[in-house]
Amino acid sequence: MFDISLGWSIVIIGILTIAYTLFGGMKAVIWNDCLQLLVYMLGGVLIAVVIAGRMPEGWNSIVEFGRETERFKVLDFSFDWSNPYTFWAGLIGGIFLTLGTHGVDQMLVQRYLAARSRKHASAALVTSGFVVCIQFAFFLFLGVALAAYYSLPKFSGIDTSGMAGDRVLATFIVEELPAGVGLIGLILAGVFAAAMSTLSSSLNSSATVVVNDFIKSGDDSSQHLLRQSRTWTAIFGVIQMAIAMAASGVTRSVVNEVLGIAGMTVGLLLGLFTLARINPACRQRGAIAGLAAASLILIAVKFILPGIGISIAWPWYALIGAAATILFASLAHLVLPSN
């Protein structure tokens, strides 16, 4: 829209998000997340309506295209470890990934702690499952609609095969939506909202962990802790902007990479939390040894095994990480001295 580089876009969005997270805290994060959800869902609905209005037979054209190209195939019962979208990867791997993201990840746990009661937190957690399912289904349908739109005869002379899937929506927004009516701005706001809501939550949760686990002591004043929290919010914001810039040229699929990273990290955390429940005798030294060993295994699974022809999809990372952490921590507890 402004014809500026991706790097400057990251910096601008990052600074704005850091600002409201830094000064508003958890309350600002939650309320902004609510508003951002509404904005980007509305933007998605408007895009779908525009696409349907331009198709020869409206919604029927999109549905027929999805059927003919088998894009509506939901269940794949094949046992392919390299395919992240099989039934078994979703059922088994997805269980452990969700246990990690919704059970031990501070980004979600902080929301439970902000609820009025345990009952309210449980209700929010259950409701979110249905909302996320609907959200994913809708945007997957929107992806089918975009594919149907770019299959129209007017695009027959344009090669879209090399376009990264993550760029198709942005390209449609800027080049195909009617200008001058505010629609492009609203939908771009929806795209920014999705990015900012994730960023603000991670900044707040990361700063909270550092302050509570590494800085806070019995005689700290509330003002001191507030200053520390704001400082670390800004620090993590800068770190995440740098990572975003570095990663922008590495991947062609943001969704797969983000979920892969989540599977690796929350799997390790899930393993530690589970270890504390099933083997409380295991002390810090054993837990750290298990965490280190599991990290090396996940690095091998992600970067080394594909080089020798063995590919394991990201839904299995959380299960592998959790199991390896528990196993090697328990073994380390048996062989390492207790003191």
Side-chain angles (χ1 to χ4, degrees):
M1 183 173 64
F2 292 107
D3 194 27
I4 60 177
S5 68
L6 177 61
W8 278 111
S9 299
I10 291 171
V11 170
I12 293 170
I13 294 299
I15 290 175
L16 291 173
T17 309
I18 290 171
Y20 79 75
T21 306
L22 191 147
F23 291 106
M26 189 62 198
K27 189 173 184 178
V29 169
I30 291 177
W31 278 108
N32 275 285
D33 278 4
C34 292
L35 297 174
Q36 288 160 343
L37 171 66
L38 296 176
V39 171
Y40 95 85
M41 287 299 294
L42 176 61
V45 170
L46 290 175
I47 291 175
V49 170
V50 171
I51 293 175
R54 295 183 181 180
M55 299 299 291
E57 298 180 14
W59 298 104
N60 290 335
S61 296
I62 299 174
V63 174
E64 187 61 29
F65 174 83
R67 288 174 179 171
E68 291 178 354
T69 58
E70 295 188 345
R71 280 177 165 82
F72 289 142
K73 182 180 179 181
V74 177
L75 299 179
D76 179 359
F77 290 98
S78 63
F79 290 92
D80 183 359
W81 293 96
S82 63
N83 185 355
Y85 302 114
T86 66
F87 173 82
W88 306 109
L91 178 65
I92 302 173
I95 285 175
F96 286 89
L97 178 61
T98 306
L99 276 173
T101 57
H102 288 67
V104 300
D105 191 337
Q106 174 68 12
M107 197 160 74
L108 269 295
V109 171
Q110 66 177 358
R111 284 164 163 72
Y112 309 151
L113 298 176
R116 293 188 181 92
S117 65
R118 181 174 179 176
K119 182 179 180 180
H120 283 91
S122 299
L125 178 61
V126 173
T127 304
S128 73
F130 293 100
V131 173
V132 169
C133 183
I134 295 171
Q135 169 191 287
F136 264 74
F138 170 72
F139 279 98
L140 289 171
F141 176 81
L142 184 59
V144 176
L146 286 165
Y149 181 76
Y150 281 105
S151 70
L152 292 175
K154 71 174 184 176
F155 295 105
S156 58
I158 303 175
D159 182 17
T160 59
S161 60
M163 186 187 301
D166 299 318
R167 295 182 180 269
V168 174
L169 178 59
T171 301
F172 177 86
I173 293 172
V174 174
E175 296 182 358
E176 300 297 325
L177 288 179
V181 295
L183 189 59
I184 294 177
L186 175 63
I187 295 176
L188 283 175
V191 175
F192 294 152
M196 294 172 76
S197 64
T198 304
L199 178 59
S200 63
S201 299
S202 63
L203 296 182
N204 187 267
S205 60
S206 299
T208 300
V209 168
V210 170
V211 171
N212 282 279
D213 291 354
F214 298 101
I215 296 177
K216 185 177 181 180
S217 61
D219 56 352
D220 287 323
S221 67
S222 58
Q223 288 299 317
H224 171 70
L225 295 177
L226 178 61
R227 286 194 298 269
Q228 288 290 336
S229 178
R230 288 177 171 175
T231 299
W232 282 100
T233 296
I235 290 173
F236 279 114
V238 173
I239 291 173
Q240 291 207 27
M241 285 190 288
I243 292 173
M245 291 180 187
S248 61
V250 175
T251 178
R252 288 177 58 85
S253 176
V254 173
V255 173
N256 284 340
E257 293 300 332
V258 167
L259 291 174
I261 293 170
M264 295 178 73
T265 55
V266 302
L268 299 174
L269 284 175
L270 180 62
L272 287 177
F273 274 76
T274 306
L275 178 70
R277 297 300 299 270
I278 65 175
N279 189 7
C282 184
R283 298 303 179 190
Q284 178 174 305
R285 186 176 296 182
I288 293 176
L291 188 67
S295 299
L296 293 176
I297 289 176
L298 284 173
I299 291 173
V301 168
K302 173 66 176 178
F303 299 105
I304 298 177
L305 291 185
I308 59 175
I310 302 175
S311 180
I312 299 178
W314 54 261
W316 300 105
Y317 291 172
L319 172 57
I320 294 171
T325 300
I326 296 170
L327 173 62
F328 287 102
S330 300
L331 292 175
H333 170 66
L334 296 176
V335 300
L336 293 176
S338 58
N339 58 352

